[in-house]
Amino acid sequence: MFVGINHDLPQVLAGIKLVFTSVPVVGCSTHGEISPEGARDGSVLVMAIGGPGFAVTTAVAKNVSGRQRDAGAELADAVARDTGLPYTAMLILTDGFIRDQEDILRGIYSVVGASIPLVGGAAGDGWRFQGTEQIHGDEVLSDAVVVASISSEAPIAVGVRHGWRKVGEPMVVTGCGDGRVHTLDDQPAMDVYLDRVGAPPEAYTDANAFSQFALSRPLGFMRRSGEVVRNLSTEVDLAGRSLGGGGQIPLGTVAWLMEGDEPSILDAATEACRDAIDALQGAPLLGMLTSTAPRYAPLSAMSE
């Protein structure tokens, strides 16, 4: 279940449990929901998975901040089991305010290996930047990670795309730590970033102004697996002039300013869908689970 932050999540969960009395439930708060009727904001979205050919196991890790890797391993241990079904993917829903979220994935991979695809996203709070909520069973939590391990007798495929383009000359991360970039090209990272994008004066001194300006102007970082796009609008550091993006940025990483528009984002979503469907190799499509952040769209396709 995915619930707009304007709703009372415990009350919504209580209503859903009246219908699904003995069914495992996972979910989180959102900023925007995608359903067969289209994109909405402030709605409640429920998807049920079951029937012959499926096996689903869920788990939750609490108080994750400061022990991200251990929490990931704990989750993987809780859901890793032999279902007798040949295909498995893990749906992961995290608190969007947890730093170094790659460590959660490293902990999971340390148990299950890299053969099981991981999909999902971070819970949202409607850009209020106050806190998110995760749902597991009868509980509504924060600082938590929820996992659903989904096994199937037919293929499960994943497609990931972003709709951003590189702008200007590359920069080098010359100082970083604790999930933040402190310097770019040996200069304070925030000032280099704002100078490059031609930010208004108030973005240099006002946290809200910075958040609103940076919301649609992410940074891209080069990784072995390709480009990683990071939003910079949360945990604004006016005093230290650093930039945070929700995950670790290694020293020496090459970075770019990124830009996009509505057509580029829609094209990226289309290509992600095509990638997932093509990876099914002709197996009939049963449905798609989508997880999107601003300008970023990973999708998981399930076949019958």
Side-chain angles (χ1 to χ4, degrees):
M1 57 183 286
F2 299 95
V3 183
I5 196 66
N6 54 307
H7 294 282
D8 185 321
L9 262 70
Q11 289 297 314
V12 174
L13 177 58
I16 288 177
K17 295 297 286 186
L18 289 175
V19 178
F20 297 106
T21 55
S22 60
V23 174
V25 177
V26 298
C28 64
S29 58
T30 66
H31 176 55
E33 303 81 43
I34 301 171
S35 74
E37 287 73 38
R40 300 184 179 184
D41 196 7
S43 63
V44 177
L45 176 66
V46 177
M47 181 175 185
I49 299 174
F54 280 111
V56 180
T57 305
T58 71
V60 62
K62 303 176 183 179
N63 303 314
V64 173
S65 295
R67 62 177 202 97
Q68 288 89 325
R69 188 173 186 124
D70 289 343
E74 172 187 313
L75 287 167
D77 280 329
V79 299
R81 62 189 180 94
D82 185 6
T83 63
L85 298 172
Y87 303 99
T88 298
M90 288 190 181
L91 174 67
I92 304 170
L93 304 174
T94 71
D95 187 330
F97 284 78
I98 297 174
R99 288 189 178 182
D100 298 337
Q101 300 212 7
E102 288 96 337
D103 279 346
I104 299 171
L105 305 184
R106 292 188 183 102
I108 294 173
Y109 277 132
S110 71
V111 174
V112 302
S115 62
I116 295 179
L118 308 181
V119 298
D125 73 341
W127 300 123
R128 301 177 186 182
F129 307 119
Q130 296 174 359
T132 69
E133 295 176 302
Q134 298 77 56
I135 301 159
H136 183 262
D138 297 321
E139 295 183 293
V140 176
L141 307 158
S142 293
D143 193 23
V145 178
V146 176
V147 167
S149 179
I150 305 170
S151 296
S152 169
E153 64 184 12
I156 301 173
V158 178
V160 181
R161 295 276 182 153
H162 68 77
W164 292 99
R165 302 180 294 267
K166 298 174 184 175
V167 178
E169 295 299 316
M171 301 166 285
V172 176
V173 176
T174 52
C176 58
D178 194 25
R180 303 190 69 83
V181 177
H182 296 285
T183 58
L184 291 167
D185 292 340
D186 291 321
Q187 300 296 320
M190 178 182 285
D191 296 311
V192 172
Y193 167 79
L194 292 173
D195 291 346
R196 287 281 190 104
V197 295
E202 56 269 23
Y204 287 80
T205 58
D206 182 86
N208 289 330
F210 177 89
S211 293
Q212 292 302 313
F213 183 80
L215 187 59
S216 60
R217 297 170 176 87
L219 279 181
F221 300 92
M222 185 58 66
R223 293 282 185 87
R224 291 180 182 177
S225 58
E227 295 170 350
V228 175
V229 180
R230 292 284 170 76
N231 184 279
L232 305 172
S233 58
T234 59
E235 294 191 61
V236 180
D237 179 21
L238 293 178
R241 314 305 290 174
S242 67
L243 298 172
Q248 295 177 353
I249 308 296
L251 189 68
T253 301
V254 178
W256 280 272
L257 298 174
M258 306 293 280
E259 70 174 8
D261 50 35
E262 184 172 339
S264 72
I265 305 310
L266 294 177
D267 287 345
T270 299
E271 292 304 314
C273 290
R274 286 175 178 161
D275 290 345
I277 293 172
D278 289 346
L280 294 177
Q281 299 181 336
L285 178 66
L286 177 62
M288 302 189 81
L289 298 173
T290 69
S291 173
T292 67
R295 314 303 192 264
Y296 193 73
L299 299 105
S300 175
M302 291 185 179
S303 64
E304 293 183 299

